[in-house]
Amino acid sequence: MFATAYRRFRPYLHNTTWILGERMLAMGLGLLATVLVARYLGPERFGTLAYATSLVALFGISGHLGLHGLVVREIVKKPSLRAATLGTAAVLKFFGVLLGYLALLSYAIAYEGVGTVSFMLIAIAGGALLFTPLDVVDYWFNAFTQARYVSFARTASKLVYVGFTLILVFVGADLVMFGIPYLLQAIIAGIVLLVLFRAKSRMRLSQWHFDRLHAQHLLSQGWVIYLASFFAIIYLKMDQVMLRWLADSSEVGVYAVAARMSEVW
């Protein structure tokens, strides 16, 4: 009985193992990078960096749209609509993150001023949002319990992020340069996912297409999930933004390091 149950659930256990392994590795590498960057930049400059990345996370929720679970379900249950599902989800996410990025830049212009260090960090790190529509490939692999490919992509992007961050620390780079690793991480993850999708899927990117009715269907079912995700991101990231408003960047830097250590545990 045990052997039968194991054979039945083995794909899901292996899938979960890949997800957990990648998440643990990513958190460990992220913590290492945080400690080294915080020690190099000091509380004030690291606080400015943490403030910028928190803003990116807040405005990036515009591209979530509650689609993850819905798209996975649609891929599994409606094979004939897979190309339309992926294409529609990618387009919806792109316009969502585009609006979020423009709103982020508007905020930076209004409250930080063009040409300031904070504005440059926000603009560079925020560019990563424009590559998040490629996450729909993540949905595809998850629909077929092939999380190992997503883990490959995320691990590769995290290694690039940490490696480039360490280079910046060792060469004594300016604060603005530390926004680049966030952008590179998104680019590498997207490229690797697309390469793996092309190699492992019989579907081609040219088959993806947008369907207006399908978009209405996804949005009508995803808005509740989106609302929950919206408040979850506010709960996780708003504290560092509020601290910047109420105190200063040094306080944000100290708090950001403590928050990262807490998140890892």
Side-chain angles (χ1 to χ4, degrees):
M1 181 180 295
F2 177 79
T4 302
Y6 174 75
R7 284 194 298 269
R8 179 180 179 183
F9 291 102
R10 181 172 57 183
Y12 309 106
L13 293 174
H14 289 180
N15 204 58
T16 302
T17 301
W18 276 103
I19 294 173
L20 289 175
E22 178 271 325
R23 189 60 56 86
M24 292 174 65
L25 179 61
M27 286 185 174
L29 292 173
L31 178 61
L32 173 64
T34 297
V35 171
L36 292 176
V37 172
R39 288 179 63 86
Y40 168 71
L41 294 177
E44 183 176 358
R45 294 197 297 167
F46 183 73
T48 302
L49 177 62
Y51 165 72
T53 54
S54 293
L55 280 173
V56 172
L58 283 172
F59 283 88
I61 191 61
S62 61
H64 187 280
L65 301 178
L67 294 179
H68 184 280
L70 291 176
V71 172
V72 171
R73 185 194 67 184
E74 294 291 305
I75 291 173
V76 173
K77 290 189 174 183
K78 300 177 181 178
S80 62
L81 295 177
R82 286 172 179 171
T85 298
L86 292 173
T88 301
V91 171
L92 290 176
K93 286 178 68 67
F94 174 75
F95 281 104
V97 296
L98 180 61
L99 290 175
Y101 184 60
L102 293 176
L104 176 65
L105 290 180
S106 299
Y107 171 92
I109 293 172
Y111 290 97
E112 303 299 332
V114 178
T116 63
V117 172
S118 294
F119 175 84
M120 296 300 294
L121 278 173
I122 292 170
I124 295 172
L129 297 179
L130 300 178
F131 295 88
T132 56
L134 298 177
D135 286 348
V136 296
V137 180
D138 178 341
Y139 307 162
W140 171 271
F141 285 125
N142 276 301
F144 297 104
T145 61
Q146 296 176 337
R148 61 184 181 276
Y149 299 120
V150 179
S151 298
F152 291 156
R154 290 181 175 174
T155 299
S157 66
K158 180 60 71 173
L159 289 173
V160 170
Y161 164 79
V162 174
F164 195 80
T165 298
L166 294 179
I167 291 174
L168 294 178
V169 171
F170 291 139
V171 301
D174 294 333
L175 174 58
V176 173
M177 297 295 292
F178 284 87
I180 297 177
Y182 293 91
L183 178 58
L184 280 179
Q185 182 178 6
I187 294 174
I188 296 300
I191 291 175
V192 175
L193 280 173
L194 287 178
V195 170
L196 290 173
F197 179 81
R198 181 177 178 82
K200 300 298 179 179
S201 172
R202 296 179 181 178
M203 184 184 298
R204 292 291 174 259
L205 291 174
S206 59
Q207 296 177 264
W208 292 15
H209 61 275
F210 178 81
D211 185 279
R212 182 177 59 84
L213 294 178
H214 205 38
Q216 293 176 350
H217 170 71
L218 291 174
L219 292 176
S220 66
Q221 296 196 16
W223 71 270
V224 176
I225 303 173
Y226 173 67
L227 192 63
S229 300
F230 175 79
F231 287 111
I233 291 295
I234 290 180
Y235 173 76
L236 289 172
K237 295 298 181 180
M238 193 62 184
D239 48 4
Q240 296 180 33
V241 177
M242 290 179 62
L243 191 58
R244 166 69 182 273
W245 291 342
L246 298 174
D248 55 32
S249 295
S250 297
E251 296 294 334
V252 177
V254 174
Y255 178 82
V257 174
R260 173 55 64 88
M261 292 183 176
S262 176
E263 289 172 3
V264 170
W265 285 111

